[in-house]
Amino acid sequence: MAARSAQEQGAAPEELEIPIERLATGGDGIGHAPDGRVVFVPRTAPGDRVRARVAETQKRFLRAELLEVLEAGPGRVEPPCPVFGHCGGCSWQHLDYAAQLEAKTQALRDAFERLARITPPADLRVHACPEPFGYRGRARVVVEGGVVGFRAAAARDVVPVEGCPILAAPLDAALGELAEKPPQDAVGEWELALGDDGAVRIHALSVRGGPKVALDAPGTDTRLEVSPGVFFQANAPLRGALGEAALEAMGTGSRALELHAGAGFLTLGLARRFSSVVAIESHAEAVRDLRETLHAGNVRGVKVERARVEIWLARARRSDFEAVLLDPPRTGLPRGVAARLAALGAARIVYVSCDPATLARDCAALTQHGYALAALEGFDLFPQTAHLEAVAVLERG
């Protein structure tokens, strides 16, 4: 049934005064209306008492807009960004970092217990980012109408900015320079990227080509080169720890398979641990980057195939891969792919995910094909937002 606003129902928007009990997985605060329905209110904190206006009515829940914080909860802080609440980037700058980590740990636990019916480890941990601000080494901004900014939270409008507190200092400075003199000849998305060698790239994504940035590959003394528009983990202080954890979980052996290999952030480390690696990636520029990095580093034993993972798996047969490493997009595995992945017969699957809900769903599917959850841990690659990276290890029983 389609959602209906109070205006559509011919009634004045209802106002509520409610306490906020906890945070939802998506980041909104959760309270309850007098009739018992759940109320989702953005930019609220556990322990807040708020006045909110109902914006959307459903049979079992309401969505409301925050009007006023009547009483602040213990985890509420003053957001440092002047456009917080308007910009679509951050949703949790009003929460202290300890509260963010607690909420993310609970969200990861809930995803497995409630969605997957899998018991997570009792000592489930989310690794904190060493720098909750100034951590981001890659971002996209919009140049439009003579301004530079980020997309608004609930619209396609551009929110003008001159700086961003979650960007690493060199990128924050680059954003300020770009905003001071907005480009006139290349509108649309621009990418700001920081290499591990300190080099800054500012590039219009409408322009093909452009300089690469160099990133340290975890588990190696090698750097990979990444082209404009090619994905890499943006959290400069914590991505290395994430990579090391995934590689450690893979162990060592003869043959490994990597799905959604990207530009090779984890591939180079796998090549140190396994005699033979097959890396699957669909993005043409990422494949080109990976092959060039392997060639430049004289890395042997890696076969790179450009293919969509679901299509490659549909053609694959039971194999001698000892372990599989996958890092899919936020949507997780397409329908039916978990069964095809399990059919390969690998003893271990290491799943890197940026969405606890789809991770839990896919792990549940894999447990239907002989696997069991052996380990799970989170990595807070996205402070000031509700997003969370996690690594799950599944082993065949």
Side-chain angles (χ1 to χ4, degrees):
M1 184 179 70
R4 299 185 66 194
S5 67
Q7 290 90 334
E8 289 172 329
Q9 297 177 58
E14 180 184 2
E15 290 189 7
L16 303 170
E17 288 189 10
I18 56 172
I20 300 300
E21 302 156 19
R22 58 188 178 89
L23 294 169
T25 300
D28 291 348
I30 292 179
H32 283 85
D35 64 5
R37 279 183 291 180
V38 170
V39 185
F40 295 97
V41 190
R43 301 191 304 282
T44 55
D48 282 354
R49 184 168 186 82
V50 303
R51 185 166 64 90
R53 178 187 296 119
V54 175
E56 178 185 325
T57 301
Q58 295 280 5
K59 184 177 181 180
R60 295 184 179 180
F61 67 88
L62 307 171
R63 295 193 183 278
E65 301 168 349
L66 177 64
L67 297 177
E68 182 182 4
V69 177
L70 302 172
E71 183 178 336
R76 176 173 282 279
V77 296
E78 189 65 26
C81 180
V83 296
F84 175 71
H86 303 287
C87 169
C90 295
S91 55
W92 274 6
Q93 284 192 22
H94 64 291
L95 295 173
D96 72 22
Y97 193 46
Q100 294 183 35
L101 290 174
E102 181 181 351
K104 291 184 182 189
T105 304
Q106 189 60 49
L108 185 57
R109 184 179 300 280
D110 286 349
F112 276 77
E113 289 180 343
R114 297 181 181 183
L115 300 179
R117 299 290 190 262
I118 295 174
T119 302
D123 58 349
L124 180 63
R125 177 188 178 190
V126 171
H127 296 267
C129 180
E131 301 171 26
F133 287 94
Y135 66 84
R136 195 168 180 92
R138 181 178 60 84
R140 291 187 178 187
V141 297
V142 180
V143 177
E144 187 176 288
V147 300
V148 174
F150 295 105
R151 293 291 182 192
R156 295 293 296 170
D157 297 339
V158 178
V159 178
V161 296
E162 296 178 353
C164 175
I166 68 168
L167 290 183
L171 292 192
D172 191 37
L175 175 58
E177 294 173 6
L178 195 66
E180 186 176 352
K181 295 181 179 180
Q184 303 298 318
D185 56 341
V187 297
E189 284 193 319
W190 283 62
E191 184 183 59
L192 310 177
L194 175 66
D196 284 327
D197 58 358
V200 172
R201 180 178 69 206
I202 309 172
H203 188 76
L205 292 178
S206 59
V207 178
R208 297 195 59 169
K212 296 183 178 184
V213 292
L215 304 177
D216 295 332
T220 78
D221 55 3
T222 307
R223 280 181 169 161
L224 62 148
E225 302 273 330
V226 185
S227 296
V230 173
F231 172 82
F232 66 86
Q233 294 288 1
N235 189 307
L238 195 58
R239 63 180 171 231
L242 170 74
E244 295 280 2
L247 292 170
E248 185 67 25
M250 284 289 285
T252 59
S254 297
R255 278 175 55 80
L257 172 66
E258 183 183 14
L259 304 175
H260 303 283
F265 181 66
L266 298 173
T267 315
L268 299 177
L270 285 177
R272 295 284 185 95
R273 291 172 164 268
F274 290 84
S275 304
S276 174
V277 176
V278 176
I280 310 301
E281 172 57 45
S282 63
H283 190 281
E285 197 66 32
V287 168
R288 189 176 299 113
D289 285 347
L290 174 51
R291 286 174 172 160
E292 289 179 359
T293 293
L294 294 172
H295 178 75
N298 197 30
V299 179
R300 304 296 184 185
V302 179
K303 180 182 180 182
V304 181
E305 295 188 33
R306 184 189 172 196
R308 289 174 57 181
V309 164
E310 60 270 31
I311 294 175
W312 188 91
L313 285 172
R315 298 194 302 258
R317 297 292 181 266
R318 189 173 182 87
S319 68
D320 57 351
F321 292 120
E322 296 155 280
V324 178
L325 174 61
L326 66 153
D327 186 1
R330 191 175 302 278
T331 51
L333 297 176
R335 184 183 297 274
V337 169
R340 296 171 189 165
L341 175 58
L344 294 177
R348 182 182 303 109
I349 297 173
V350 178
Y351 191 140
V352 180
S353 169
C354 58
D355 188 304
T358 56
L359 173 63
R361 179 201 67 196
D362 292 343
C363 286
L366 288 166
T367 63
Q368 300 301 308
H369 297 279
Y371 288 90
L373 183 70
L376 176 68
E377 56 185 331
F379 292 81
D380 190 18
L381 265 61
F382 313 101
Q384 318 312 325
T385 81
H387 299 302
L388 176 66
E389 199 85 7
V391 177
V393 183
L394 298 107
E395 295 179 347
R396 185 173 285 280

